[in-house]
Amino acid sequence: MDQYIDIKVRVWRQAGPKAQGHFETYDLKHVFQGASFLEMIDILNEQLVAQHKDPVTYDHDCREGICGMCSMYVNGHPHGPDSAITTCQLHMRKFKDGETITVEPWRSRAFPVIKDLMVDRGAYDKIMQAGGFVSVNTGGVPDANAIPIPKPVADEAMDAASCIGCGACAAACKNGSAMLFVAAKVSQLALLPQGKIEAAARAKAMVAKMDELGFGNCTNTGACAAECPKSVSLANIARLNREFLAAKFKD
Amino acid sequence: MAKKEEILDAAKKAAEVIKEKVEQVANDPQVQEVVAAAKEKATEMAEKVAETAQAVAEEIQARAEKVAERAEVKEAVKAATEAAQKAGKAAKAAAEVMATPSEKNVKVITPEMAKIPAGPLELKWTNYKNHQKLVNPANKRRLDVIVVGTGLAGASAAASLAEMGFNVLNFCIQDSPRRAHSIAAQGGINAAKNYQNDGDSVYRLYYDTIKGGDYRAREANVYRLAEVSNNIIDQCVAQGVPFAREYGGLLDNRSFGGAQVSRTFYAKGQTGQQLLLGAYSALSRQIGKGKVKMYTRYEMLDIVLIPDENGEKRARGIIARNLVTGRIERFFAHAVVVGSGGYGNTFFLSTNAMASNGSAAMQMYRHGALFANPCYAQIHPTCIPKHGDFQSKLTLMSESLRNDGRIWVPKKLEDAKRLQAGEIKGRDIPEEDRDYYLERRYPAFGNLVPRDVASRAAKERCDKGFGVNNTGLAVFLDFSDAIQRLGKDVVAQKYGNLFQMYEKIVDENPYENPMMIFPAIHYTMGGIWVDYELQTTVKGLFCIGEANFSDHGANRLGASALMQGLADGYFVLPYTIQNYLADQIGVPRMSTDLPEFAEAEKAVQDKIDRLMAIKGNRSVDSIHKELGLIMWDFVGMGRTAEGLKEGIKKIDAIKKEFWTNVYIPGEANSLNNELEKALRLADFIEIGRLMAVDALHREESCGGHFREEYQTPEGEALRQDDKFAYVGCWK
């Protein structure tokens, strides 16, 4: 049964990209455990606004775990201490009365802090722009049922495609690698006949862009998949490596 | 004596100003489709005039009193007071005259004005495409188009226009175009493919959509929508959207929303996500090529209109705020396309995302674009209920749950009270004390009554005090019968993921204790009026997706929102906008230093400064929540004339409270979430009022608008087709 709890929230405050950041601890009394984690931050912000202080800036939008906007490190874990969820799906019943909760922004060189808990994830968009698509224009495409695709293949592509681009994988990785994100897109499209044609070029272009943007290398530690809110599988990274090597051999 | 003259002069001038204002209002042509629609607006404007007059009168009196001590000005005081009173009386009289509806204030929109092509329904779109103007490739390079929004409509339009060769400037408020709220759509997308060989056709999809919209949608648009629905599926598959498939490798379909055919394509429970990511991929490709310039974390704050050589105002750009730096910037384009989604967040709590807003629509509206059918808002009966005042949004649960779940509340008030206090659970209440009110009231349909009936029935029980959760705003959806009948495994197979989602949020096991549900605002069918070309009444300003009004009538069918967004963006707007742009090829790119840009920017800046300067005592959210409650109570599921009038008064009070007592911390020229929210709330208040006014004038029940005065003995919506089949547009 959900109770009311008193907590302390230790939040990373940083006025701007170049400002010196620091932790600030706030007391929050009488927080209902049925509230979501972001609703708790809302309560904190209402409290700060009432004191005419600057509220905590953080990214959030759909609050049902699909937009990929929320991006908080809670008690040392991207999206917090629960598996297969985003921060917005985390509830206060995961925390105890009297607990101090530490909240930080994504930790990754490629995701610089904009303010407080808000980071710039534009690097993921740039990787997508380098090759995360099938080169077809609107119109003039064949009938949707012209090419049958085996159900297991379609299902596997769907699992890879469920990535929400939140950045937890890169934030969780000790090397700051975006491999799981890149692998998910490369896999999805390489599995499907529509995407196969450009598979090699895509893998090369996306990996090159990832390297260029300052993401680290993959050393197969698996932290990314463990923290991924959509449970995107490490098998995708193996597939990306295959696609990438095959492309290099062809060169 | 100089004083005396001065005062008289002031009074005279004041009277002139008032007169001028009254005339201005009187001469303003009210473009509306109905007589009744004009009434409210006229009253409002006239009241404003009366207020101005009153204020002037008071000021004159005050000024006059200051000098009244001197004997020689006594006469002047009297004269001035009289003049002011006269002016006030004149303005009040004018207000009364204008408040009376007259033919002069109403304009009927004809099919010609809506640019509906001639010919039989099934040939209209073909005919249009065969005869519309096109822009040649060399000229496309010289034309810029602004697209606001990156949801299904915005992203697909931006990508398609860029592929064709236009230069596109695309704006979104999130950090990436992939995050638009289309991403959250679960169920699927309709198309008339007839892959299942169950008799589906373009005509059937068209007919179902019209019927589902309670015969309030524009037929030509809907037929076109059904026609291009098939192209959408082809396009998405070509992009690599992983739709669900059968074992033979062909696409799978499911049935949806009571249709007799299976025409819904889906990708797990994440169809919106996959379709949006497809459009986002296409958009990313064009950004990479430099054909789309993407502006993330930018919010449009106004549209800039510039008159052409004939003096006709055309949309030529926007004013947008960089949400990271707080800087206000100007952007030029030959045409502006807005795909900014719906305005469901007027209610604060809805299934919309936190940042979803109606401000873009209000900016268009303020520039003279008509707002059509604002009162049509869809309420979804199966959402996870509100559990406290801190609640930020409501989560939708698939409606399929009603196939096997039974809806009930306790028969006894004392049981409900104990449930609300958390002393007992649903399973503790014996069978004979349960009121299966849907089965009781609608024995033929039982728990499968239409969405709106189920929603209203739940509200009715909760209003009487029978709500079953801590807020008293929830009813039970019980699966114990289904579990007994089918076994837990079968139920888990069918609804496992939903049960798990429910448990994560509510922390209750729905296999053991009945689920709790409550209705929530989900989608808005109303929106900016557009013609067949998706152009608003402002030249060069287009509106697509949920933001426009055209395709769903009074109610939207399940799995049709995704279809409309993509139809507009991929296959309709990229054609129709050329019919406009073909006449703009001679228009050079304009400087954003033009006075129209400067004025628009200044107005935006002034508004922001005004908000920042209020420095009151209320947070933005606290006022928004209050507005949401008023909307829910007075402009929600069951509306009455009396309630709506009361609601309008309350909304006006909220408006006053907002503009005098909101507090926004921080600076305007930096990242400031509270300021962003305040700007949006200012518009939600206006939309809320508009919804109420529209709901009040529409004396019938249809689709997403239910007036309690107009219902059948069974409690179903009673349309007044002879009086209200039209689209109610507001200016």
Side-chain angles (χ1 to χ4, degrees):
Chain A
M1 190 70 190
D2 291 332
Q3 306 291 330
Y4 285 89
I5 54 173
D6 295 343
I7 49 167
K8 285 189 197 315
V9 198
R10 193 166 154 258
V11 188
W12 184 257
R13 302 302 308 258
Q14 185 175 333
K18 297 206 171 87
Q20 181 80 38
H22 65 283
F23 278 108
E24 191 110 14
T25 305
Y26 303 99
D27 275 316
L28 268 191
K29 302 255 181 268
H30 207 61
V31 176
F32 187 56
Q33 285 181 308
S36 75
F37 193 82
L38 297 188
E39 283 165 354
M40 181 275 289
I41 301 281
D42 290 341
I43 295 168
L44 169 62
N45 277 344
E46 283 291 293
Q47 193 172 302
L48 290 172
V49 171
Q51 296 163 359
H52 290 198
K53 287 183 186 158
D54 202 20
V56 178
T57 299
Y58 69 105
D59 268 327
H60 63 105
D61 201 15
C62 79
R63 300 209 176 190
E64 46 187 284
I66 195 74
C67 75
M69 195 96 176
C70 57
S71 45
M72 292 180 192
Y73 241 84
V74 182
N75 284 349
H77 290 276
H79 294 305
D82 198 354
S83 59
I85 53 157
T86 55
T87 315
C88 65
Q89 293 172 301
L90 179 65
H91 279 75
M92 292 311 293
R93 62 182 73 97
K94 288 281 164 195
F95 303 93
K96 293 188 288 286
D97 190 39
E99 193 170 337
T100 300
I101 305 166
T102 303
V103 192
E104 301 161 78
W106 274 175
R107 309 163 175 167
S108 177
R109 189 170 39 162
F111 298 150
V113 170
I114 294 172
K115 189 181 177 187
D116 298 338
L117 305 173
M118 182 187 277
V119 298
D120 179 358
R121 283 170 291 192
Y124 269 16
D125 283 334
K126 291 202 180 85
I127 294 174
M128 280 293 291
Q129 289 152 20
F133 46 77
V134 177
S135 298
V136 290
N137 284 354
T138 302
V141 298
D143 185 86
N145 259 348
I147 311 170
I149 301 172
K151 181 171 164 55
V153 174
D155 287 348
E156 211 178 343
M158 176 62 224
D159 287 342
S162 62
C163 165
I164 56 173
C166 64
C169 46
C173 178
K174 68 185 169 79
N175 306 319
S177 170
M179 274 295 264
L180 192 63
F181 169 74
V182 174
K185 192 44 77 179
V186 166
S187 273
Q188 176 207 339
L189 297 179
L191 279 161
L192 300 169
Q194 289 83 3
K196 223 166 219 154
I197 297 149
E198 298 171 280
R202 179 181 307 114
K204 276 199 298 185
M206 290 180 80
V207 169
K209 187 50 100 179
M210 169 175 73
D211 292 344
E212 180 198 316
L213 292 170
F215 289 99
N217 291 318
C218 174
T219 52
N220 290 314
T221 58
C224 52
E227 297 288 10
C228 174
K230 295 291 147 186
S231 308
V232 171
S233 157
L234 277 181
N236 291 302
I237 295 187
R239 189 174 293 107
L240 167 61
N241 285 333
R242 267 203 310 280
E243 291 294 336
F244 187 73
L245 282 176
K248 286 286 178 192
F249 271 124
K250 271 185 207 155
D251 294 347
Chain B
M1 291 316 278
K3 286 263 183 218
K4 179 178 172 180
E5 266 160 27
E6 232 175 76
I7 294 165
L8 275 175
D9 231 1
K12 228 182 191 173
K13 267 186 198 156
E16 265 166 30
V17 168
I18 292 161
K19 209 177 143 199
E20 208 176 289
K21 283 219 168 164
V22 170
E23 271 168 10
Q24 229 175 349
V25 175
N27 292 335
D28 190 11
Q30 304 285 308
V31 186
Q32 287 170 8
E33 294 198 1
V34 276
V35 177
K39 188 176 174 182
E40 176 63 27
K41 184 72 191 175
T43 314
E44 194 188 316
M45 288 177 116
E47 272 168 8
K48 261 187 212 160
V49 174
E51 261 172 43
T52 317
Q54 194 67 33
V56 171
E58 277 166 18
E59 201 192 318
I60 292 169
Q61 205 161 354
R63 262 202 243 164
E65 272 164 15
K66 263 190 198 165
V67 287
E69 291 139 28
R70 292 166 62 181
E72 67 262 37
V73 292
K74 257 193 188 155
E75 200 186 327
V77 172
K78 210 177 148 197
T81 314
E82 268 170 20
Q85 277 170 352
K86 241 185 212 170
K89 266 185 202 160
K92 266 189 192 157
E96 270 162 31
V97 170
M98 281 189 295
T100 321
S102 76
E103 294 296 333
K104 214 177 110 191
N105 288 342
V106 172
K107 205 164 158 186
V108 175
I109 297 171
T110 60
E112 290 73 39
M113 286 164 73
K115 295 195 200 133
I116 295 167
L121 201 54
E122 61 277 16
L123 288 177
K124 283 182 191 293
W125 182 227
T126 308
N127 284 342
Y128 179 87
K129 284 191 293 182
N130 287 345
H131 299 106
Q132 72 160 115
K133 284 178 259 183
L134 296 172
V135 182
N136 84 29
N139 285 330
K140 280 180 186 146
R141 284 196 290 274
R142 280 192 260 158
L143 292 170
D144 302 339
V145 180
I146 283 174
V147 178
V148 180
T150 59
L152 286 175
S156 58
S160 302
L161 288 169
E163 287 162 6
M164 289 170 155
F166 295 104
N167 302 299
V168 178
L169 293 84
N170 195 187
F171 294 79
C172 72
I173 53 177
Q174 295 90 351
D175 73 327
S176 163
R178 67 181 294 154
R179 313 220 191 271
H181 196 53
S182 303
I183 201 130
Q186 300 169 357
I189 176 165
N190 288 332
K193 282 284 195 186
N194 193 29
Y195 282 161
Q196 305 305 322
N197 194 31
D198 52 7
D200 200 8
S201 66
V202 167
Y203 182 83
R204 275 188 193 277
L205 176 53
Y206 149 80
Y207 182 79
D208 287 353
T209 308
I210 289 283
K211 188 177 170 209
D214 246 347
Y215 308 96
R216 295 289 182 265
R218 187 189 287 153
E219 293 178 4
N221 286 46
V222 176
Y223 198 89
R224 174 178 67 189
L225 174 71
E227 266 182 287
V228 303
S229 67
N230 291 338
N231 303 63
I232 297 170
I233 305 304
D234 299 342
Q235 189 65 36
C236 295
V237 167
Q239 287 170 344
V241 170
F243 281 123
R245 287 179 183 266
E246 313 251 22
Y247 281 98
L250 300 182
L251 290 162
D252 190 18
N253 290 118
R254 55 165 67 142
S255 64
F256 219 91
Q260 288 169 302
V261 295
S262 288
R263 61 160 74 101
T264 305
F265 295 79
Y266 65 101
K268 274 194 173 171
Q270 291 147 260
T271 318
Q273 180 199 25
Q274 293 311 314
L275 296 178
L276 183 64
L277 292 184
Y280 163 69
S281 284
L283 175 63
S284 294
R285 178 166 159 247
Q286 295 307 315
I287 297 171
K289 284 183 168 183
K291 285 304 287 180
V292 174
K293 179 100 180 68
M294 187 69 224
Y295 295 88
T296 59
R297 296 199 198 266
Y298 268 79
E299 183 159 7
M300 175 171 78
L301 294 183
D302 202 6
I303 296 151
V304 180
L305 307 189
I306 296 179
D308 62 12
E309 64 278 9
N310 301 321
E312 182 156 35
K313 284 183 175 178
R314 291 174 189 271
R316 292 295 189 203
I318 65 167
I319 304 293
R321 184 165 176 269
N322 178 330
L323 299 180
V324 174
T325 63
R327 255 190 61 188
I328 297 180
E329 299 176 27
R330 311 170 183 182
F331 300 91
F332 163 82
H334 292 88
V336 176
V337 180
V338 178
S340 55
Y343 48 89
N345 267 350
T346 306
F347 287 72
F348 189 75
L349 287 179
S350 78
T351 64
N352 287 4
M354 300 304 288
S356 301
N357 68 80
S359 291
M362 286 314 279
Q363 288 152 29
M364 294 188 271
Y365 173 71
R366 279 193 283 266
H367 281 298
L370 304 179
F371 206 128
N373 296 334
C375 75
Y376 293 153
Q378 188 176 73
I379 291 172
H380 210 289
T382 52
C383 296
I384 298 178
K386 179 179 167 177
H387 49 252
D389 295 336
F390 50 81
Q391 184 114 6
S392 57
K393 82 155 264 161
L394 296 167
T395 304
L396 183 76
M397 303 269 286
S398 171
E399 224 184 335
S400 61
L401 289 168
R402 284 200 284 143
N403 285 318
D404 285 304
R406 293 179 75 194
I407 294 173
W408 64 275
V409 293
K411 269 184 191 160
K412 297 180 188 157
L413 258 181
E414 61 263 30
D415 281 347
K417 288 216 174 83
R418 288 172 69 203
L419 282 166
Q420 288 160 15
E423 291 162 16
I424 53 166
K425 297 222 175 217
R427 61 169 179 242
D428 301 331
I429 296 173
E431 187 64 27
E432 63 272 20
D433 289 339
R434 299 178 177 192
D435 176 15
Y436 296 93
Y437 58 88
L438 285 179
E439 296 169 24
R440 168 171 61 81
R441 285 177 65 182
Y442 311 102
F445 290 93
N447 296 296
L448 287 172
V449 292
R451 276 182 187 182
D452 53 325
V453 178
S455 298
R456 283 193 301 276
K459 182 176 187 285
E460 187 271 338
R461 283 292 85 189
C462 292
D463 284 350
K464 294 260 160 70
F466 292 96
V468 298
N469 71 343
N470 59 337
T471 57
L473 294 172
V475 297
F476 284 129
L477 177 63
D478 199 336
F479 286 85
S480 51
D481 270 10
I483 291 169
Q484 259 180 12
R485 182 163 42 90
L486 306 165
K488 193 177 163 183
D489 288 347
V490 176
V491 172
Q493 227 169 39
K494 274 179 142 171
Y495 307 111
N497 60 335
L498 292 167
F499 278 34
Q500 190 194 357
M501 180 169 92
Y502 179 85
E503 196 173 351
K504 279 261 188 220
I505 296 175
V506 185
D507 199 31
E508 283 262 0
N509 183 345
Y511 294 102
E512 289 167 9
N513 205 34
M515 223 176 227
M516 290 178 286
I517 55 163
F518 201 64
I521 292 281
H522 182 50
Y523 186 93
T524 49
M525 281 70 66
I528 296 299
W529 185 90
V530 287
D531 60 23
Y532 189 73
E533 296 182 324
L534 305 183
Q535 188 167 204
T536 69
T537 34
V538 176
K539 290 277 173 294
L541 181 60
F542 294 78
C543 187
I544 56 178
E546 188 180 346
N548 77 25
F549 88 107
S550 72
D551 293 355
H552 304 299
N555 213 350
R556 179 181 63 77
L557 287 183
S560 278
L562 304 186
M563 171 172 71
Q564 187 224 338
L566 289 181
D568 285 1
Y570 282 133
F571 297 108
V572 180
L573 178 99
Y575 278 85
T576 58
I577 198 172
Q578 291 191 57
N579 207 32
Y580 174 77
L581 288 172
D583 293 334
Q584 307 298 313
I585 51 176
V587 178
R589 293 200 169 96
M590 295 176 189
S591 160
T592 52
D593 294 334
L594 286 172
E596 286 85 357
F597 276 99
E599 278 159 28
E601 184 186 315
K602 188 176 175 297
V604 164
Q605 188 62 56
D606 287 350
K607 187 175 180 185
I608 290 174
D609 291 345
R610 203 178 141 202
L611 279 170
M612 294 301 294
I614 297 169
K615 298 268 175 233
N617 294 310
R618 299 273 307 266
S619 72
V620 178
D621 278 358
S622 75
I623 300 176
H624 196 168
K625 282 180 185 178
E626 204 179 320
L627 172 69
L629 285 177
I630 292 168
M631 292 302 292
W632 187 249
D633 287 343
F634 297 96
V635 199
M637 279 185 270
R639 301 160 172 171
T640 62
E642 207 179 316
L644 287 163
K645 281 178 196 155
E646 179 76 16
I648 291 170
K649 267 188 213 151
K650 286 181 184 282
I651 294 168
D652 287 341
I654 285 272
K655 183 176 175 179
K656 198 169 167 207
E657 171 76 358
F658 174 77
W659 284 101
T660 53
N661 202 19
V662 74
Y663 174 75
I664 304 166
E667 306 295 326
N669 55 358
S670 68
L671 199 160
N672 191 333
N673 289 150
E674 293 296 310
L675 173 61
E676 292 163 28
K677 287 194 286 186
L679 284 163
R680 292 171 199 151
L681 177 55
D683 290 324
F684 280 134
I685 294 171
E686 305 295 333
I687 296 175
R689 192 175 198 285
L690 201 57
M691 289 177 80
V693 167
D694 186 39
L696 183 60
H697 114 276
R698 190 166 278 277
E699 292 170 343
E700 65 161 351
S701 295
C702 67
H705 167 63
F706 190 84
R707 283 283 296 271
E708 286 176 8
E709 303 96 316
Y710 305 93
Q711 54 181 311
T712 64
E714 294 80 39
E716 296 211 38
L718 190 63
R719 294 198 315 266
Q720 307 281 318
D721 286 343
D722 51 334
K723 286 190 217 142
F724 289 99
Y726 61 78
V727 172
C729 298
W730 300 88
K731 196 183 181 192

